[in-house]
Each structure stands twice: as structure tokens, then as C-alpha cells.
Amino acid sequence: MNKLKSQRWRCFRRSLFLRESATIALVVAAVTFAVFTNTSIFADEKASHWAWKSVKAPLPPKVMDEKWLRNSVDRFILAKLEAAGVPPAQPATREQLIRRASFDLTGLPPTPIEIDAFLNDTSPNAWEKVIDRLLASPHYGERWGRHWLDLARYADSNGYEYDEVRPDAWRYRDYVIHAFNDNKPYDRFVREQLAGDEFFPGEPEAIIATGFNLLGPDMTDSSDQIQRRQNTLNDMTDTSSLVFLGLTLGCARCHDHKFEPFPQTDYYRLQAFFTPAKFRKDVSIVPKEQRAAMDEALHKFHAQLRPVQEELHRLEEPYRKKLRDAKLAKFSVEVREAHETPERERTPAQRERVEETLRFVAVSQAELLNVMSEEEKKHLRELQEKIKAIEARQPSVPVAMGLQDSEGPPAKTYLLERGVIGNRGEEMKPGYPEILVNNAANGKSSEAKSPGGRATLANWIADPKNPLTARVMVNRLWQHHFGRGIVRTTSDFGTHGTAPTHPELLDWLAEDFTRNGWDIKRMHKLMMMSNTYSQSTQASPDAIQKDPDNNLFSRMNRVRLEGEIIRDNLLAVSGRLNPKLGGPGVFPPIPAEALKGTKAWTVSTDKSEHTRRSIYIFARRNLRFPFLEAFDLPDSNLSCPKRERSTTAPQALALLNAEDVVEAAKALAARLAKETTSDRDKITLMYRLILGRKPTAKETALAEEFIKESPWSELCRALFNVNEFVYLD
């Protein structure tokens, strides 16, 4: 008995200990949660974060080595180098410079003629002329449009299980390319994408630009259409804050941001700007000069179609109404009232009820035929055939994805507890993140002034006084020119993003950008005309010791080309590149093994389309072009601020065996035979085309030895596989 009592006592003490331990753990967890979620904790530190403060450009600093300077950018870089006792790198060679600039601005290699023109130009503005020429190239828009499409999560299909095609998404891609080629001021570029339909309702390009908001993945067959719409609203809220403001505001969708001073109310205030919009896949974009003719053609078309449609309606409607009413009778009074209210008169709540139940009350063709007489069925088919014949003659009206203001009362936005659509909290009015309004000089209230549409949001973002917009964009430009941003986390300027290595330079560039009309091409030129940009990638012993990660930009970063640019390079040097601009996506051949079990890729019948630039390859979310995927093609479901650059075996195999490489090698061998005579001349031209330079004596000797036993195409293919082909010095 005593033994049993002793065992029971030990069990009681153990359970008590476990309960006490669990209680302590819960208390610790609660305290930890409170520390990290309470916005008052570290409030002063977060509120004083550099990115929330207004841009105030400092004077360029003084330096000791004035001779090294080419422009003010160099002053900021050299001042830090001198303070650290690190000398800048030696200048890159002229061959390296023109190859670097050509790929940076057009994504294509310089031709031997272009290289020679630069090498032989002894004028003081020789380098400036190269930059101006490249900025004026139509290929500039293709190169820099690709960077923006990464941010915009561009794709030509919806994703998810069915991955339906978006037949008109390519218009947004072409809009972006044109915008860069036309040097559209960045503040207008921002306004068009957020609210082009409100700012410029009569301009097709501005309507197309609003497609930016709808480029994310979309589950069109969702059983919950209200949740589907909310997913799209969340996606455009998240993406807009990342792309234009460099903020991870999406983390505040379900709760107050754990690491940034963004309460959940900030998220839904920003989303409230988008909530009233109508998501369209078929917005008419007929140019002004063609509208009168198009309206007349459509009037004639509808005059033919309308009588037949009305007759069909008279035949179907009694049966449709009866079947629909029977289905509606199973729903609540509120749902029935919503369906019976004319569309323009429905409240936002009624619109939601209709969207949620529409598929349950829809009447199918089979249901109609089931209740009709044989004579009515025959008449129905005759009318449908007539309609089909008339529709075959319908004038083609260009349309695009985009946003439009909804008719009727605007939908309301509610704070969603834990981000769940069924857990509505307080109603939210359109507004801006409080921390930005409190620290910057472009607003006094976090709530937007009436009417609070997307145009109001766009004006606030594109305001020169906004502390983030210009900083974020010039940092993106710097990243693509120098291999990394002044702020490494280019879409995260918050307290948990990386601090700028050169904050004064960042602000100086941002202020220069807005003061000079948000001119993107001017900013390219400013950065590229610096001696900082012209440095070699070779580091001195001092730089390796004192600046191993190149935080001070003591040399140029060596970067690998993206998959699209590697493929375009293969096409260009082999003389096969089709320079055609724009239009619907193309379908070059892809390996048969990638198509197993799918019919999602139909190769373009026009073979000339196969050699278009890679930006025009149809971007299907669930079947990505294999060669590009090997070289870290980003996930188009999310905004991508910077491409990953991995080193993998599939990349080496692709450069050795991919059909694109094999065909390029054969075509280049044929080009060499056509354009030169002697073996030595062929080797020299091959090196100049592939690597942008002449071969060394040793390289020439090795090549001559190689071709004694192997065909020229194999020598070309070997050179495609050297690091120098896929990396920029």
C-alpha cells in the first residue's frame, strides 16, 4: 500500500511539474509574441529608419585624387575608398567596356564593326557616343523591359491546374518595351500602371498598362469566386508595395507586421484603393483615329446579330427563368433579392452574393434541351447556326487585360482578421502606411483625401516627396549596372532589409532623378559615364584584403548573363537572330521529353519566329522554356527583384548539348566560312564574335590544333562553353 501511495505521489508531482512547465512555456511564448508584435517595442528605432525620411541630397564629398573623377557619382565612391585605404581598380579595356555596355543596355553582343569603331575613336566623347547609340537602340527596351517584367510577375497564362492562356497579356509586355524605348518618365510609368484608366481614359497604352495589376496567377475555376477576387486584390496590393515602394507590406495581411512598423490596418488601407476596380480581360483599346470606322463596322455587325439573338432569347428565356427560379428558391431571401436586382443597382454586398452563387443557379444548354419540345430544339439549333455564321464576320476589336471603375456604389474594404475573408473587422478607408506619412513631407494624414481612387494612390507614390519611390528605382538601375544594389535587398527598404552601403549617394541619385523629370535614360548615362562603372573586375591585393565583398565598389562585379541573354547571344553571333519587335508570344521547338503528358506547347509554324528574342517566347507558368529554366528563370507567380545565379550541372549540359547551342555552332561555322578565307582569320573572327576580343597567340595555336581533327562547328561549340561567353568582365 505504501509503495502504491509513493507511486501515486510521484505521478502527481510529475504531472504538476509538467503542468507548471507548460504554463511557463506558454507565458514565455506569450511574452515573446508580445515583444515582437507590439509596435511600441523599438518604436523609436523603427520610426527613425532612414528609408522613411525625406530624400535630402548631400553635396558630393571632397576627395584627394581629383584626377580619378569623371562625375559626381565617382566622388561618393572614391571618398569611401580613400577613407578605407582601398585603391580603385584599374580601368577595363575598351573591348571589355563596349561588351559590358552592349549587354547592359541591349542584351546583345557588340559587332566587330562596333568594337572597331570604338577602339579607333580617339575623340574625348567616344564612350559617350557608344552609350547614346545603345540607349537609342530599339533593343534597349527589350533588355530593360525584361527586368521590369520580372518585377511585374509577367506570364502569358493563368497558372494553377488548368493554366489557361491569356491571349492578350502580350500587350502589356509590348507596352513596357515601348515605355522604355520612348524614355517615358518614370512617374508617368507608375501612374499609368496603377491608374491609367483614370488618368488617361482615351489612351490605349494607358489602359493596357493597368494590366500590371492582373498579371499574377489566377484560379479561374475556383469554387469560391469571392475568395478568387480577394486573392487578386491581395496579389496587387503585395506587388504594388514591393515594386514601387520596396516594402514587404504583404506580411501585414494577416496580422501586424512582425518586424516592420506596419500594422494590419496599413495593408487594408492600401488595398482599399484597388477594391472598387472591375477586373477586365477584354477592355477595348481601339486607337482614337480608328474608333469612328470601328464603331460603324460594329454597328452594322450588331444590326445583323441583334434580331437573331432576340429571337433566341424569346425562345430560351421562359425555360431559363423557370429553371433558374427553381434553383434560386433553394437560397435565402437575400440571395434571391440580389439576383433579382438589376446589375447597376446592386449594392457591393449584393454583388458579392451574386458572384458567390452564380454558378449554382446557371442554366446549362443540356438542361434547356431537356425541357424543350423537338420542334423548339430544332429551331434553337437553326438560330445558333445563324449566330455562329454572323459572328464569323465580326470585326476584330483589339482588347487587353486591365482595370476599370465598377458601376454602381463602390465596394467596401474590411480588415480581415487573420486574412480570412469570412472574418471581417472594421471598414477601412483608402490610405497610406502611417510611418511614411508621419516621417515624410508629402502628407499629413494616413487616410487619403476624397475620392481616394487609384489615381490618388498613384499621385502619392509618384510624388517627388515620397521618400521611397525614387530611391527604390535608382537602386534597381544601379543593381543591374553594377551587379548589386546600393541597398542589396532591392524590394525591401524596411528595417529588416540591408542598409545602403552608400546612403549619401543613394539620396543624391534619387534627388537628381526627380529633379530631372524622372528621366531613366539620363540616369543610365550618369551611372555609366562614371569611372566607377569603367573599372576592371580584377581586384588588387589591398581590395581583396580590405574590401573582400566589394561593398565599397572598389572594382566592377563580374556577373553571369541571364538565360534569355545567353540564348539571344547564341542567335546573334551565329547570324540567326530575327530582330522583329513585339506581337503575340512565339513557340520555338523544345525537347520532346519536356512535352510528355501535355499538349500545352504548339510549335510556331513560321520558322523565322523560332529565332526571335527570348523575351517574346510564350511565358507559360506550368511549362517553362527548358533552356531558360536551366539558367534560373524566375518563378512568375511572384515579383522577382533579382535573378538567382546558380552554378549547376544542367547548365553545363545545356551549353554542350542543347539544340539551341548545336544549331548556333553549325550556323556560326557556316558564317565563318562565308565571311573569311584563311583558318587564322576564321579563328580571329570567331573569338571576336563570341567573346568580343581577339584571341591570344596561345589560343590561336590551340584552335589551329583543334581543327586538324574536328569540324569548325565543334570549335565554335567549345568556345560557347568557356566562362567568358556567359560572364561579363
Side-chain angles (χ1 to χ4, degrees), residues 146 560 562-568 614-615 617-618 624-634 643 654 660:
R146 179 65 265 175
R560 197 193 69 206
E562 304 97 305
E564 293 94 327
I565 307 307
I566 294 172
R567 178 179 174 274
D568 294 350
S614 301
I615 192 172
I617 293 177
F618 189 88
R624 305 195 295 174
F625 198 71
F627 186 86
L628 306 185
E629 189 169 24
F631 289 94
D632 306 304
L633 188 69
R643 295 275 185 110
D660 296 275

Side-chain angles (χ1 to χ4, degrees), residues 435-574:
I435 196 72
L436 297 184
V437 174
N438 293 339
N439 280 273
N442 65 331
K444 295 181 180 178
S445 170
S446 59
E447 190 170 297
K449 295 179 181 178
S450 181
R454 285 174 285 114
T456 306
L457 172 63
N459 278 332
W460 176 77
I461 290 177
D463 191 324
K465 296 177 183 176
N466 190 300
L468 288 167
T469 310
R471 280 178 175 141
V472 168
M473 186 55 180
V474 298
N475 189 62
R476 295 194 193 284
L477 297 176
W478 186 276
Q479 170 188 270
H480 291 303
H481 282 308
F482 293 91
R484 72 156 177 86
I486 297 171
V487 178
R488 287 180 184 271
T489 50
T490 50
S491 282
D492 184 2
F493 273 44
T495 61
H496 270 62
T498 57
T501 54
H502 296 72
E504 297 84 4
L505 173 59
L506 181 64
D507 275 17
W508 187 87
L509 290 170
E511 192 275 336
D512 182 90
F513 189 41
T514 56
R515 178 165 45 84
N516 287 284
W518 303 82
D519 187 327
I520 295 176
K521 286 190 177 181
R522 183 186 178 281
M523 185 54 60
H524 284 305
K525 189 171 179 179
L526 177 66
M527 293 178 179
M528 296 176 72
M529 287 295 293
S530 67
N531 266 332
T532 305
Y533 180 85
S534 298
Q535 291 181 105
S536 165
T537 57
Q538 300 300 312
S540 66
D542 277 351
I544 291 174
Q545 181 183 1
K546 297 177 181 178
D547 186 28
D549 297 324
N550 202 21
N551 288 324
L552 301 177
F553 295 104
S554 57
R555 57 194 177 276
M556 178 55 80
N557 286 303
R558 195 167 190 250
V559 296
R560 197 193 69 206
L561 299 172
E562 304 97 305
E564 293 94 327
I565 307 307
I566 294 172
R567 178 179 174 274
D568 294 350
N569 195 6
L570 288 167
L571 292 171
V573 300
S574 62

